[in-house]
Amino acid sequence: MNNKGILAFVTVGVLAVVGGGYTVTHLKKIDTGNVGVVYTMKNGVKDEVLDPGYNFVSPFEHVKEFTVGNEQLILSKDSRDGSKEDDSFKVATSDDANISISFQMSYRYNPETVVDTYKRFKGMDGDKIVEQRVKTVLKSKISEITTDYSLMELYSGNRNEINTRLTEYLDKEFEKEFGIEVMDASIIEVHPDKTLKKTIDERVAALQKKQKAKAEQETIKVEAETKLLQAENEAKIKVKKAEAEAEVQLKKAEAEAKANEKLSKSITPELIKMKEAEARLKHGWIEIQGANTIVTK
């Protein structure tokens, strides 16, 4: 007999001596990524769990499996397992809309609390807890987050922010209620009906129109600000140019004043006499008598 033929309980006829008698045991296979919680009518739930692989158990022991490896829960509009069932569901938004979504969640049972989870749910295994308990509260739990966002934000907004909040919230809530750790929770698609699709299209068109008008206003504002800056710059340039010319004229006037002052200080009676003498030597005496001018040397 090969391993493939040993699926759940395989009687192997193993005899174990227990208290001087014989007890028939059998093998229980625990799938990879799972652990087995053991229960007996006499002793209740064992604190130790069964590891993946084949384990010897008594016929009086009942075993329930819980996944401690990553599992995925997918609830989508389009079936991924070949069935035609629509697993999508509706959630609420901040603007009182109810929109259908496809959702996926990566999770596992906390191996440290899986025995307590078994006790809390009175013998249900991990799959049944997910099917009968987790799925029934998903809509309300997710809506507690999506009601903080509008229809448009859920449809075409920042989905990453919403999914991050969903993951954190569901991890906290499901750990407390079901002993489940949530690694990732995501709204993977939004499915508006015809009425909602029309509403969304109208809002998108209005938003685009608003954005276009805002862009045009921004362009006009930028152009006006640019013209104002240009005018201010031109005015500043003219002022600086006028100031520079005034400065040049002032320096020129100051230089001429200093030169005249220096020249004035240099003209002495002796210099005047000398210049007169030089002129007489060169041109002779000039005397004016009535209408006649007489030059004598």
Side-chain angles (χ1 to χ4, degrees), residues 8-28:
F9 290 87
V10 179
T11 303
V12 294
V14 177
L15 298 179
V17 178
V18 179
Y22 296 96
T23 301
V24 177
T25 63
H26 59 273
L27 286 176
K28 168 65 178 176

Side-chain angles (χ1 to χ4, degrees), residues 249-286:
Q249 293 297 326
L250 178 61
K251 289 182 178 180
K252 184 176 180 181
E254 289 176 349
E256 289 179 354
K258 288 180 180 179
N260 290 336
E261 182 182 1
K262 184 176 180 181
L263 178 62
S264 176
K265 290 180 179 180
S266 66
I267 298 175
T268 61
E270 291 79 8
L271 180 61
I272 293 172
K273 288 181 180 181
M274 184 185 73
K275 291 297 182 180
E276 286 178 350
E278 290 176 353
R280 288 171 183 167
L281 288 173
K282 185 175 181 180
H283 303 291
W285 290 95
I286 299 176

Side-chain angles (χ1 to χ4, degrees), residues 218-260:
E218 190 66 25
T219 300
I220 293 172
K221 181 181 177 182
V222 170
E223 289 176 351
E225 289 176 349
T226 301
K227 289 180 180 179
L228 179 60
L229 288 173
Q230 288 175 344
E232 289 176 350
N233 288 335
E234 289 174 359
K236 288 179 181 179
I237 291 171
K238 288 180 181 180
V239 169
K240 288 183 179 180
K241 184 176 180 180
E243 289 175 348
E245 290 177 352
E247 184 71 19
V248 170
Q249 293 297 326
L250 178 61
K251 289 182 178 180
K252 184 176 180 181
E254 289 176 349
E256 289 179 354
K258 288 180 180 179
N260 290 336

Side-chain angles (χ1 to χ4, degrees), residues 75-77 86-92 98-104 138-139 142-143 146 154 159 166 186-192:
L75 302 171
S76 66
K77 187 174 183 66
D86 181 359
D87 291 326
S88 63
F89 54 94
K90 290 185 177 181
V91 294
N98 284 284
I99 189 166
S100 179
I101 65 168
S102 288
F103 172 82
Q104 70 177 13
L138 261 179
K139 175 184 174 181
I142 294 173
S143 288
T146 58
L154 195 63
R159 195 83 59 77
L166 275 175
S186 305
I187 295 173
I188 54 178
E189 198 170 353
V190 177
H191 313 288

